[in-house]
Amino acid sequence: MRRLFKALKYVSLFLLIAFAIVACDKEYNSIDSEVLGEENTNFNASKTEFKILAYNKKLDSLQINNLGSSLLGFYNDPIYGETTASLITQITPTTTNPDFGTGTVIDSVILNIPYYSRATGEVNDESIPIYTISDSIFGNESAPIKLTIYRNNYFLRDFNPNSETNTAQNYYSNASNADKANNYAITENSIINFDDHKGEVIYESNASGYKPSEKAIVLVTGSGDTEAKTASVPALRINLAEDDDKKAYWMSTIIAKQDQPELSNSNNFINYFRGLYFKTEAINADGQMIMLNTSSTDSKITIYYSKDSTVSGETTQATYVLSFTGNKVNPFINTYSQNLQNGDRTIGDEKLYLKGTEGSMAVVDLFNGLVNCEESNTQDTALECFKKTYRQLNEDNYILKSGESIEEINGVEYITKNGNFVLKRLINEAQLVIYEDEENVSVDDETHEFDRIYAYDITNNQPTLDYLFDATDNTANPEFSKFVSLGVRTKYEDTDGEHYKYKIRITEHLNSILVRDSTNTKLGLVLSNNVNTTSNSNILESNDIVTGVPAASVLSPRGTVLHGNNDNVIDNRKMKLEIYSTEQKE
């Protein structure tokens, strides 16, 4: 909670009050003024619940290319089981037609890909910043992984040759493939085994494996009185030319191609050197997974070399840089202990499984099914009853005001003004209340401390209106960003002990349905590492209403389990749609 209040100090007083209303564990007891007394107010306050349906959606064939970030390593989720993530990436020259000079000798070839890190605000004895990468590590932080980097010989296309409109070529996950030793991806008409296209080994971790370090990268220039140190963020940093054989490899592969077609332009180079394949494996069935910032401008390979100087007998140093700005594919190998399945769309599911890296999500159908609507004393769909309850009907005693008119829909006369429906009840707050399944997620399990549930509009593959209106952005620490619309994981107590729940605000979503007659789109629920990221990952040839998922959920190796809302769930754990409203007294 200390971190939460630290985040709150950066928002305005209004948002602080809004958060207190939305995220407070105490339920609404009275919206009426305790100063004036209920008899002196001119409105009534109420809380209502509407019927919803929530079910599981098994995910596969997810877009895994160009996601902005990349996972690398091994993670054993205590609920779902094992995931191994590898990376295939193109490298492109930052300059073409280079002149490497004469007498050229390679000094080192440095691969650098930053981790996601945060400065702690402290420095060490040499005034170098201290960083933490704990937000980007999943699994056993003390356990190394086996890392092998191969030259990749599979050509990653920019465009789909089967498309008539030159759309981008996407690559999709095939993580459940029975072959757990190799990394696969699929396209519209092919299955790719990247291990069939691996070339020579460029780097291989030693017997003790590879383990990320959170120390700053320190570069020293000069010596004595002119010595200077500069620090950069923690990164996967490897010298790819640490011996004579490796230096000879880069000499023949890059330097010797001066004045050749391979270095004349980027297309030629990418066809010649098709990229790198970072393959990871567990060591003794253990390891860790790290999030790489592959979109950073500091993600690059720098060739440091010496060449003859214009001054006879002397040499000068120079560099040649290869960037990671080309295509990237992030394949997964899943060995899940849970048998993930599509859920029951008629009665909903008892448990909802949220898991990234080709796992599972939940679909929420608001106002599902038929209800006995008190407002009209008829049996209606839950959606029609919702509209009748909150919109102003053309009742016998209603007198049209200036600018108002009557619009009939399905035999019901509603009052409209300027194209919008007039409301007789104002929604002050509407939220999905979602309870964590304590049979699968222990209240003492700290790995779920900062879990965030991201809700999105399935039909349009975009954030909810409440998300877009939510000004509580925190770019430095996404764990506490958008906490009005996407409430943080909150502990509460009842007669059964301690539990956790989430609150997802959908006030604007419902108001848009009522006032502007927007479509009642289904909502998707996924687990997200970074709720600031709203880009999408497509699903290959989806025959379902779910055609894409947030890219951040694909890159979320962790998973959780929630209570659904079918009849097998006890009432005080069922997912609920709660609406708090006010209505003018007659």
Side-chain angles (χ1 to χ4, degrees):
M1 292 300 293
R2 183 180 66 225
R3 296 176 67 187
L4 175 58
F5 286 114
K6 183 178 179 181
L8 287 178
K9 72 181 181 181
Y10 297 106
V11 299
S12 68
L13 178 61
F14 170 79
L15 292 174
L16 178 61
I17 295 171
F19 173 68
I21 294 173
V22 176
C24 181
D25 286 342
K26 296 180 181 179
E27 304 300 348
Y28 298 88
N29 293 319
S30 176
I31 306 180
D32 294 340
S33 170
E34 294 182 2
V35 177
L36 296 176
E38 183 176 354
E39 67 279 2
N40 294 319
T41 61
N42 64 349
F43 59 86
N44 292 319
S46 63
K47 169 189 171 182
T48 56
E49 295 183 9
F50 279 86
K51 187 176 181 180
I52 62 175
L53 182 75
Y55 58 88
N56 290 294
K57 163 66 178 173
K58 183 180 183 298
L59 297 172
D60 56 31
S61 304
L62 306 179
Q63 181 185 340
I64 53 172
N65 65 297
N66 302 332
L67 298 178
S69 304
S70 302
L71 289 174
L72 193 70
F74 172 85
Y75 177 64
N76 189 4
D77 187 276
I79 302 172
Y80 293 93
E82 300 175 355
T83 293
T84 305
S86 296
L87 174 64
I88 295 89
T89 176
Q90 292 176 332
I91 56 175
T92 55
T94 56
T95 57
T96 55
N97 292 313
D99 181 1
F100 296 121
T102 59
T104 306
V105 176
I106 285 183
D107 301 316
S108 62
V109 178
I110 304 299
L111 179 149
N112 190 89
I113 305 178
Y115 308 129
Y116 284 94
S117 59
R118 287 187 293 108
T120 64
E122 301 174 348
V123 295
N124 63 14
D125 294 339
E126 297 179 309
S127 298
I128 301 298
I130 296 176
Y131 292 91
T132 176
I133 60 174
S134 59
D135 297 342
S136 300
I137 290 183
F138 309 91
N140 186 351
E141 295 185 19
S142 63
I145 57 172
K146 180 181 178 181
L147 174 61
T148 309
I149 304 177
Y150 300 93
R151 182 170 175 172
N152 168 50
N153 290 326
Y154 183 85
F155 184 72
L156 298 174
R157 296 188 298 258
D158 289 328
F159 299 103
N160 184 347
N162 299 311
S163 169
E164 297 179 356
T165 57
N166 285 331
T167 57
Q169 176 66 69
N170 285 330
Y171 296 86
Y172 301 88
S173 63
N174 193 20
S176 56
N177 193 295
D179 180 2
K180 301 302 180 184
N182 297 330
N183 282 285
Y184 290 83
I186 58 176
T187 65
E188 292 81 358
N189 54 14
S190 64
I191 300 177
I192 307 157
N193 180 354
F194 288 108
D195 286 81
D196 287 342
H197 301 276
K198 62 188 181 187
E200 54 269 33
V201 175
I202 291 176
Y203 165 84
E204 187 172 16
S205 58
N206 57 29
S208 60
Y210 177 84
K211 188 164 62 173
S213 170
E214 61 184 4
K215 292 183 178 179
I217 306 298
V218 180
L219 300 179
V220 181
T221 56
S223 61
D225 294 339
T226 63
E227 181 180 283
K229 294 182 178 180
T230 57
S232 57
V233 297
L236 190 163
R237 189 175 178 86
I238 298 171
N239 184 1
L240 301 179
E242 57 186 356
D243 57 39
D244 290 341
D245 288 342
K246 296 298 184 185
K247 290 178 181 178
Y249 173 80
W250 290 101
M251 280 292 296
S252 62
T253 303
I254 302 296
I255 305 298
K257 296 300 179 181
Q258 177 178 312
D259 299 326
Q260 300 297 314
E262 289 87 343
L263 301 186
S264 64
N265 59 64
S266 294
N267 288 336
N268 284 356
F269 182 87
I270 290 172
N271 189 49
Y272 158 65
F273 196 108
R274 297 184 172 185
L276 300 177
Y277 172 15
F278 296 73
K279 181 168 183 175
T280 62
E281 299 169 81
I283 296 178
N284 298 323
D286 202 359
Q288 60 183 297
M289 188 173 286
I290 186 75
M291 182 83 75
L292 300 177
N293 187 3
T294 44
S295 295
S296 169
T297 55
D298 290 327
S299 291
K300 57 190 176 183
I301 295 174
T302 305
I303 300 175
Y304 294 86
Y305 63 94
S306 302
K307 62 180 180 178
D308 292 339
S309 172
T310 55
V311 179
S312 178
E314 295 185 8
T315 60
T316 186
Q317 281 73 44
T319 61
Y320 187 65
V321 177
L322 303 167
S323 74
F324 288 93
T325 55
N327 292 314
K328 306 172 190 68
V329 180
N330 204 177
F332 308 116
I333 298 173
N334 289 335
T335 307
Y336 284 159
S337 54
Q338 290 278 359
N339 183 22
L340 299 175
Q341 299 290 334
N342 288 321
D344 192 319
R345 303 186 183 194
T346 303
I347 63 172
D349 291 323
E350 181 179 356
K351 297 181 187 294
L352 301 175
Y353 298 93
L354 271 53
K355 178 69 171 74
T357 61
E358 195 186 82
S360 180
M361 63 175 286
V363 176
V364 179
D365 186 1
L366 302 174
F367 310 114
N368 174 267
L370 297 174
V371 297
N372 294 318
C373 190
E374 295 182 5
E375 193 67 28
S376 58
N377 293 320
T378 59
Q379 188 177 56
D380 291 309
T381 65
L383 178 61
E384 289 305 315
C385 184
F386 170 65
K387 293 176 179 178
K388 290 179 181 179
T389 302
Y390 287 86
R391 285 178 179 172
Q392 179 62 60
L393 302 175
N394 182 30
E395 299 169 325
D396 292 340
N397 60 347
Y398 187 81
I399 300 175
L400 290 177
K401 302 178 180 63
S402 175
E404 292 183 343
S405 59
I406 299 172
E407 181 171 341
E408 182 177 333
I409 301 177
N410 296 329
V412 180
E413 292 183 343
Y414 297 104
I415 307 301
T416 62
K417 185 175 183 179
N418 299 325
N420 292 328
F421 289 88
V422 176
L423 303 184
K424 64 180 175 182
R425 294 184 183 179
L426 299 178
I427 295 180
N428 306 110
E429 192 68 32
Q431 56 198 14
L432 283 175
V433 183
I434 308 168
Y435 299 90
E436 203 169 63
D437 175 34
E438 53 281 319
E439 290 183 4
N440 286 283
V441 184
S442 169
V443 293
D444 299 321
D445 188 349
E446 294 183 355
T447 62
H448 294 275
E449 182 179 0
F450 299 113
D451 281 357
R452 297 295 302 278
I453 295 178
Y454 180 93
Y456 74 105
D457 172 348
I458 284 176
T459 301
N460 301 296
N461 283 324
Q462 64 184 22
T464 63
L465 285 175
D466 293 84
Y467 178 100
L468 298 175
F469 289 174
D470 188 346
T472 58
D473 297 301
N474 189 329
T475 56
N477 194 347
E479 291 169 353
F480 297 115
S481 189
K482 299 293 184 180
F483 57 80
V484 170
S485 59
L486 306 175
V488 296
R489 182 173 179 257
T490 306
K491 181 184 288 187
Y492 73 98
E493 292 187 28
D494 61 15
T495 55
D496 297 330
E498 293 182 343
H499 309 280
Y500 281 95
K501 65 182 177 181
Y502 303 82
K503 292 181 179 180
I504 307 297
R505 189 176 191 267
I506 54 173
T507 308
E508 300 304 328
H509 181 81
L510 296 190
N511 277 330
S512 183
I513 293 173
L514 289 175
V515 177
R516 292 177 288 278
D517 209 31
S518 300
T519 303
N520 176 34
T521 59
K522 293 181 174 64
L523 300 180
L525 302 180
V526 297
L527 202 65
S528 174
N529 293 329
N530 186 349
V531 298
N532 291 332
T533 301
T534 61
S535 59
N536 291 307
S537 168
N538 296 322
I539 297 176
L540 175 62
E541 297 177 355
S542 173
N543 296 316
D544 189 88
I545 58 171
V546 180
T547 60
V549 296
S553 71
V554 180
L555 296 172
S556 177
R558 283 200 297 261
T560 192
V561 183
L562 310 171
H563 287 292
N565 72 325
N566 76 5
D567 292 340
N568 293 326
V569 184
I570 59 175
D571 286 341
N572 62 350
R573 298 286 189 278
K574 284 184 178 181
M575 182 189 295
K576 305 170 184 175
L577 169 55
E578 296 180 343
I579 301 176
Y580 299 88
S581 60
T582 53
E583 180 181 14
Q584 186 173 347
K585 288 181 178 178
E586 295 182 359

